[in-house]
C-alpha cells in the first residue's frame, strides 16, 4: 500500500470539533487504500501561550528549557487526534519527534534535521495503524529534545515523506494553496497551480507563511512533491515540484515581511566581526546589502527574522556593549519581495518596483536582487500598500 504523509496546522486542530473533521479526512484517505502518517502542529495559539508563560517567568528563557516546554503543544495534538481516530474505529498511535526517529543537530530553538530513522513508524504502519507524529520537534545526537523553528512541522512532514518513500506530502492549512500575494492584503491575489522548489523557497524566506523554507529545501533535495491544500473542503491546492507549469508572467508572487529587525552598521564596524558575533549566537540573516570592499569598509544593512532571534532585548544589549553606536537596531523597516524564475533577465521588474515605491513616497533604504527575486527594504508603514501596488503593476488586477 502506498504511503501518504499529511500535515495539519494549528488552526486545523484548534478544538475538538476540528480534530474530529481531521480524523474523518484521515479515515477517508486510509479507506481509499493508503497507509497514512499524520504530522500535527500545536492546537490554535498553544505555542504562543506557552511562550508567553515562559516570558512571565523569565525575560530570557534558556533555549533548552524552552524547547522542553514548547514541544508539549504538539504532544497534546497528537494524542487527541489519535483518540479521535480510534473513536471512529481507526487503529492509530501517536509518537513524539524522538520516538519517530527524527535526529537533529544541537541548535535549540532552531535545530535542523540531519537524519530520520522511522523504524517505529514503519512497524506500526505494517500493523495497519495510522501513525500520528508531533511536528516541529526532534532529538539531538546528544539525546536532547529540540525544536525546528517557526513552521517546523512542515519540515517534519517532508523529512518523513522522504524517509518513508511516500507517494505524496500533503500540507493542509486554512487556505487552498499558495497565492500570488496574501489575499488579506491583495484581494485580487490568484491561486498558483504550481511553483518550482526555488520559487517557493524564495517566497517562504521572504515572508509567505504557507510553507516553511527549510521544508522546501528538504523536498528539493529529495524530489518530494508538496501539495499545499485547504483543510476545509476539496480545493485543488498548489503543487510544489522541480519545474512549475509555465505562465505568462515572470513574476509568480509578491510578499512582504514585517517580522524582522535590520542591523545597520557604520564603516567603523568590520562586516566579518559582526557576522562572527551573530554566528556565535545562532542569529541568522535573510537579506544583506553591503557597500564596502575589503580594505574599504562601508555600511551594511542586515535583515534578521525576529523568529530566529532568541531574546531580542538581550541581543540589543549585547550589540550595544560590543559595538556601541557602530550598529543601529532598526525595528521600523521591513521588506517587499517579488519572486519568479528569470525575474532579472532585464531591469523592468526592478524599475517598476522602484517607481511604485516612489509613487507611494516610500523611501527605499536598500535593494537586493538575485535571478529569482527583487527585494526592497522600506518603512513598515508602507508594506501593505506597496505589496498591493506591485502586485497590480507586475501581475495585473
Amino acid at each position: 500500500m502506498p504511503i501518504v504523509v499529511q500535515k495539519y496546522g494549528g488552526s486545523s486542530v484548534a478544538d475538538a470539533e476540528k480534530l474530529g473533521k481531521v480524523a474523518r479526512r484521515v479515515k477517508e484517505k486510509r479507506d481509499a487504500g493508503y497507509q497514512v502518517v499524520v504530522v500535527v502542529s500545536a492546537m490554535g495559539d498553544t505555542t504562543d501561550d506557552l511562550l508567553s508563560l515562559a516570558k512571565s517567568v523569565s525575560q530570557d528563557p534558556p533555549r533548552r528549557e524552552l524547547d522542553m516546554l514548547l514541544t508539549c503543544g504538539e504532544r497534546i495534538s497528537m494524542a487527541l487526534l489519535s483518540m479521535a481516530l480510534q473513536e471512529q474505529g481507526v487503529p492509530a498511535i501517536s509518537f513524539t519527534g524522538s520516538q519517530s526517529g527524527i535526529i537533529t543537530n544541537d541548535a535549540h530553538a532552531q535545530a535542523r534535521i540531519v537524519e530520520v530513522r522511522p523504524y517505529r513508524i514503519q512497524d506500526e504502519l505494517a500493523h495497519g495503524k495510522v501513525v500520528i507524529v508531533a511536528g516541529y520537534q526532534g532529538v539531538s545526537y546528544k539525546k536532547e529534545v529540540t525544536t525546528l523553528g517557526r513552521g517546523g512541522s512542515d519540515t517534519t512532514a517532508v523529512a518523513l515523506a522522504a524517509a518513508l518513500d511516500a507517494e505524496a506530502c500533503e500540507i493542509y492549512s486554512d487556505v487552498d494553496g499558495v497565492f500570488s500575494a496574501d489575499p488579506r492584503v491583495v484581494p485580487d491575489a490568484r491561486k498558483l497551480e504550481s511553483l518550482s522548489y526555488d520559487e517557493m523557497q524564495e517566497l517562504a524566506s521572504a515572508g509567505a507563511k504557507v510553507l516553511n523554507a527549510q521544508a522546501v529545501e528538504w523536498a528539493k533535495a529529495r524530489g518530494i512533491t508538496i501539495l499545499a491544500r485547504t483543510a476545509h473542503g476539496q480545493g485543488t491546492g498548489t503543487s510544489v515540484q522541480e519545474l512549475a507549469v509555465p505562465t505568462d508572467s515572470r513574476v509568480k508572487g509578491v510578499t512582504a515581511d514585517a517580522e524582522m529587525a535590520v542591523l545597520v552598521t557604520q564603516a567603523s564596524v568590520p562586516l566579518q566581526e559582526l557576522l562572527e558575533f551573530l554566528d556565535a549566537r545562532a542569529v541568522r540573516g535573510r537579506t544583506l546589502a553591503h557597500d564596502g570592499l575589503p580594505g574599504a569598509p562601508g555600511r551594511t544593512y542586515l535583515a534578521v527574522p525576529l523568529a530566529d532571534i532568541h531574546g531580542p532585548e538581550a541581543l540589543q544589549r549585547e550589540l550595544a556593549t560590543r559595538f556601541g553606536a557602530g550598529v543601529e537596531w532598526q525595528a521600523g523597516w521591513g521588506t517587499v519581495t517579488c519572486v519568479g524564475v528569470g525575474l532579472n533577465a532585464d531591469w523592468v521588474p526592478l524599475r517598476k518596483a522602484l517607481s511604485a515605491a516612489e509613487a507611494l513616497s516610500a523611501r527605499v533604504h536598500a535593494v537586493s536582487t538575485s535571478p529569482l527575486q527583487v527585494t526592497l527594504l522600506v518603512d513598515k508603514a508602507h508594506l501593505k500598500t506597496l505589496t498591493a501596488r506591485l502586485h497590480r503593476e507586475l501581475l495585473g488586477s
Side-chain angles (χ1 to χ4, degrees):
M1 295 171 64
I3 298 173
V4 168
V5 177
Q6 298 183 334
K7 177 262 176 178
Y8 292 91
S11 60
S12 301
V13 294
D15 53 41
E17 181 182 356
K18 291 183 176 180
L19 279 164
K21 290 180 179 179
V22 168
R24 287 191 290 275
R25 184 183 285 270
V26 173
K27 183 178 185 299
E28 289 173 2
K29 198 73 176 182
R30 182 176 181 271
D31 290 345
Y34 290 91
Q35 298 181 85
V36 186
V37 176
V38 183
V39 175
V40 289
S41 298
M43 299 173 69
D45 297 324
T46 300
T47 300
D48 290 338
D49 293 342
L50 290 172
L51 187 57
S52 296
L53 185 61
K55 289 293 184 71
S56 70
V57 173
S58 170
Q59 285 300 307
D60 187 16
R63 291 193 180 195
R64 180 190 182 277
E65 305 309 327
L66 203 55
D67 277 359
M68 293 292 284
L69 175 67
L70 296 183
T71 51
C72 294
E74 282 72 21
R75 296 184 185 205
I76 292 170
S77 296
M78 74 180 195
L80 289 174
L81 182 56
S82 180
M83 295 174 193
L85 280 164
Q86 293 179 61
E87 187 68 18
Q88 295 184 25
V90 178
I93 187 169
S94 63
F95 287 148
T96 65
S98 59
Q99 290 173 321
S100 302
I102 297 173
I103 314 300
T104 75
N105 62 14
D106 64 346
H108 284 289
Q110 296 176 3
R112 293 180 67 86
I113 298 174
V114 296
E115 185 182 359
V116 179
R117 303 171 185 169
Y119 309 125
R120 293 191 67 184
I121 293 176
Q122 291 167 328
D123 287 345
E124 297 299 340
L125 289 175
H127 291 141
K129 294 181 181 179
V130 170
V131 179
I132 318 297
V133 176
Y136 174 65
Q137 61 187 257
V139 61
S140 76
Y141 51 83
K142 295 180 179 179
K143 306 299 183 184
E144 292 281 355
V145 172
T146 55
T147 61
L148 307 178
R150 182 177 65 180
S153 293
D154 290 352
T155 309
T156 301
V158 175
L160 286 175
L164 295 166
D165 195 22
E167 183 177 283
C169 182
E170 302 171 351
I171 306 292
Y172 289 94
S173 66
D174 284 343
V175 294
D176 184 26
V178 183
F179 283 72
S180 55
D182 186 339
R184 295 168 297 182
V185 176
V186 183
D188 292 330
R190 63 198 67 166
K191 185 172 74 69
L192 303 171
E193 295 302 321
S194 67
L195 282 167
S196 69
Y197 294 128
D198 291 335
E199 290 169 331
M200 187 66 248
Q201 195 163 9
E202 289 284 352
L203 283 169
S205 297
K209 295 181 173 60
V210 179
L211 284 173
N212 173 273
Q214 187 185 161
V216 181
E217 180 184 327
W218 261 87
K220 178 182 178 181
R222 289 155 180 83
I224 301 294
T225 296
I226 299 176
L227 304 173
R229 293 174 170 169
T230 176
H232 315 291
Q234 301 295 329
T236 57
T238 300
S239 173
V240 180
Q241 55 202 21
E242 182 63 35
L243 296 175
V245 177
T247 61
D248 294 335
S249 174
R250 278 182 289 166
V251 180
K252 288 293 185 70
V254 182
T255 187
D257 191 359
E259 298 176 14
M260 66 170 58
V262 180
L263 307 183
V264 184
T265 72
Q266 304 302 319
S268 58
V269 177
L271 176 59
Q272 179 145 335
E273 185 177 341
L274 174 63
L275 297 180
E276 287 175 353
F277 172 89
L278 297 175
D279 266 341
R281 290 154 183 81
V283 176
R284 303 170 184 167
R286 202 204 88 199
T287 301
L288 187 152
H290 182 61
D291 63 8
L293 297 171
R299 287 170 63 89
T300 299
Y301 300 85
L302 181 61
V304 180
L306 291 176
D308 289 340
I309 301 176
H310 178 73
E313 298 85 3
L315 180 63
Q316 287 184 69
R317 290 193 295 269
E318 287 187 77
L319 283 166
T321 300
R322 176 71 173 272
F323 301 105
V327 177
E328 173 191 351
W329 179 281
Q330 178 54 257
W333 297 351
T335 56
V336 176
T337 302
C338 308
V339 172
V341 172
L343 190 65
N344 290 307
D346 54 43
W347 298 114
V348 173
L350 178 56
R351 288 194 293 109
K352 287 187 175 182
L354 293 172
S355 295
E358 184 178 6
L360 295 171
S361 299
R363 179 184 173 188
V364 178
H365 300 284
V367 173
S368 174
T369 67
S370 78
L372 283 165
Q373 57 90 9
V374 169
T375 296
L376 304 185
L377 183 64
V378 298
D379 294 334
K380 288 182 180 178
H382 294 291
L383 292 182
K384 290 184 178 180
T385 53
L386 183 55
T387 298
R389 190 178 185 104
L390 273 176
H391 189 277
R392 185 171 66 251
E393 293 283 342
L394 296 172
L395 287 156
S397 60

